[in-house]
Amino acid sequence: MFAINYLAVFIGAVVYMMYGGIYYSILLSDKKGAHNEEIAKNQSEGSIKYLFAVIIAFISSFFVAILVQWTGAESLVDGGIIGLVIGLLISIVYFKNQLFGLMSTRSFFIAIGDHLTIFTLLGLVHGLMV
């Protein structure tokens, strides 16, 4: 049996939210770009999406904590590798969706860049705090 480090879950969720805020602020800083019109057209209305983003940050951090503990990771590098593997698995799903035309190539690269980075960061946080 293993014990979840809830401080690491909290820190991971905060890192996730900070990263998301920075990543998407930079991504959306070019207000006149055609890709921003596509993003604006497809995003949800209202502020409920921000509440869900916070919930997803905590859930993601919690699941990475479980995987890092379950695999017996004992270091920053071990955690980072586990996070990278999670990001790669998610990227494979996005790749399939992109191949079938469910998302644009630009959206594909944005999504995989986001997920590869954040899950590696979460793995590093949890690997550090094992």
Side-chain angles (χ1 to χ4, degrees):
M1 191 71 185
F2 56 86
I4 298 295
N5 182 339
Y6 290 102
L7 177 59
V9 171
F10 178 77
I11 291 170
V14 170
V15 166
Y16 193 116
M17 289 181 274
M18 289 174 51
Y19 169 76
I22 293 167
Y23 185 82
Y24 287 101
S25 292
I26 291 169
L27 182 68
L28 299 175
S29 64
D30 176 20
K31 302 285 187 213
K32 297 178 184 168
H35 65 276
N36 287 334
E37 291 174 18
E38 176 188 354
I39 292 169
K41 182 180 79 169
N42 292 326
Q43 72 177 315
S44 301
E45 295 287 327
S47 58
I48 194 79
K49 62 185 165 237
Y50 298 107
L51 174 62
F52 280 107
V54 169
I55 292 168
I56 289 167
F58 277 96
I59 291 170
S60 297
S61 185
F62 181 75
F63 281 134
V64 172
I66 289 172
L67 287 171
V68 167
Q69 289 290 323
W70 183 64
T71 59
E74 296 180 346
S75 70
L76 180 78
V77 173
D78 291 344
I81 291 169
I82 291 165
L84 180 62
V85 168
I86 295 166
L88 287 170
L89 289 172
I90 293 169
S91 297
I92 290 168
V93 173
Y94 278 115
F95 181 60
K96 177 201 50 114
N97 290 343
Q98 195 269 336
L99 286 174
F100 282 94
L102 299 175
M103 63 190 314
S104 70
T105 301
R106 178 166 178 76
S107 294
F108 167 71
F109 284 115
I110 290 169
I112 66 167
D114 178 31
H115 289 91
L116 286 172
T117 303
I118 193 54
F119 282 101
T120 302
L121 287 172
L122 285 175
L124 291 169
V125 167
H126 290 285
L128 180 66
M129 300 185 74
V130 172

